[in-house]
Amino acid sequence: MTGARLRFAPSPTGLFHVGSARTALYNWLAARGGGGVFVLRIEDTDAERGREEWVGGILEALDWLGLDWDEGPYFQSQRSERYSEAAALLAGTGRAYWCECTREEIDRRAREAGRPPGYDRCCRDRGLSPGPGRVLRFATPLDGETVVDDRIRGSVKFANRDIEDFVIVRSTGAPLFLLSNVVDDMDQLISDVVRGEDHLSNTPKYQLLWEALGGPSLPRFAHLPMLVNEKRQKLSKRRDKVALESYREQGYLAEAMCNYLALLGWGPEDGEEVLSKAELVEKFSLEKVNHSPAFFDLRKLDHFNGIWLRRLAAEEFEERALPYLERQAWGNRFDRASFRRLAPLVQERVATLEEVPAMVDFLFLDRPALQDRDWAKLSGDPSTRTVLQAAAELYGTVSWDAPMLEAETRRLSERLGRPLRKTQAPIRVAVTGRAVGPPLFESLEVLGRERVLRRLGEALDMLGGPARAEEHAPPAG
Ligand code: GLU
């Protein structure tokens, strides 16, 4: 797409949505894939509240994802003169007119006439001049149709008579999105508009405005499929976790996020889905984007995140996990050297960085964070005391390294007539507080003999003291 000019044009009205991230990524990939230009434009005509914060969120999100732009950010709030000029041009050429109808009047007339709600072109031929309380409306053609030629959805036809005479300037003088969006694309020489499908219904209005403003040839359009949850509902702020920030917080990697977002509506021809940004740039094509809704599948995202976590070099994994560890209540007792010894094993087992602390907290707590459910299961099993007591005896003298601990625990298991797994489970809960975690013997090694023995003793106390002698005997038979 040499010479193409693409833009990402978010409105700073809230937390940055994963759908916006996908739109930004597709624009960026299309630009980077063919020597095009990627423009960033902030559509902030309508965003008084929290504007700075939301703009900050957009910039941070793009930075985190590594989507750099070549031009901008342009801010619509700084270009109001251009929109006024465009509005004056449309009013002057009769393509737009002033209207003084209030919302209530419009609704009442529709109700009384038994029409669906919508504006009835009441002021279209009244020749009103601008004045307080008046809005500027675009005069849509009364017949014919507007055809949107979409690279993803093909040709989509809209009957002009169904397009309301839509407002382009508010009674406050502020331009509406529809106007500023078109004026900017024109001024910024945008050749390709790639945006969410929710904007498809705006596109005939866009095209009519473009033509009325005397624009050169229209940009090409690509409307991206919407994102849906597992119930096939459009992702919504209220129902679903949609803020990119929350995924970042939870310890999803930008590499995984870009990889996963790229697959929401597109797939590589060779089926190899694990792709770096450079590989995506090479393989991505807007022509291959699908039009059916894309399922935002958290499990698949976890899967990709796991893959990308395991691709990190050991030190890099450590580095990225650090903030998640240091912010724990025990963060001040966190010790990097101990963590480092288990980190590669943890790296193999987590889906997000947020899962790391629970895997290693037993190293930094005085007493393990006993999980009620795991402990209940353990304490309800009469053989637990036998196992813990035998382990406590064994671990008092065994030489302290993981292979030796494993070999001796295996022998103990055989002696007790139970599978190794069933011997490991109570020891793990007693020592780490949890039924799942990094491999047990490496964990014991790093924790050290003294603390392991103390924890086994404490667990035995909680279970009511050492087992009775007969419980030591292997089961009969
Ligand atoms: N500002 C619009 C939005 O955030 C995007 C408009 C466009 O991409 O054309 O939805």
Side-chain angles (χ1 to χ4, degrees), residues 7 9-11 41 43 177 181 185 193-195 198-199 206:
R7 83 316 193 258
S11 307
R41 176 169 85 222
E43 302 210 318
F177 152 75
N181 185 250
D185 280 350
V193 171
V194 178
R195 58 183 182 179
D198 47 333
H199 283 293
Y206 181 115

Side-chain angles (χ1 to χ4, degrees), residues 233-276:
Q233 297 161 318
K234 189 178 168 199
L235 285 195
S236 105
K237 267 186 201 164
R238 264 165 293 115
R239 239 187 345 242
D240 307 295
K241 196 166 76 176
V242 296
L244 188 73
E245 178 65 27
S246 61
Y247 290 96
R248 181 181 174 180
E249 266 291 298
Q250 258 183 285
Y252 289 88
L253 303 182
E255 293 90 330
M257 210 30 144
C258 281
N259 189 170
Y260 181 63
L261 288 173
L263 301 174
L264 294 174
W266 170 84
E269 263 162 52
D270 59 10
E272 177 47 65
E273 290 196 318
V274 181
L275 297 165
S276 68

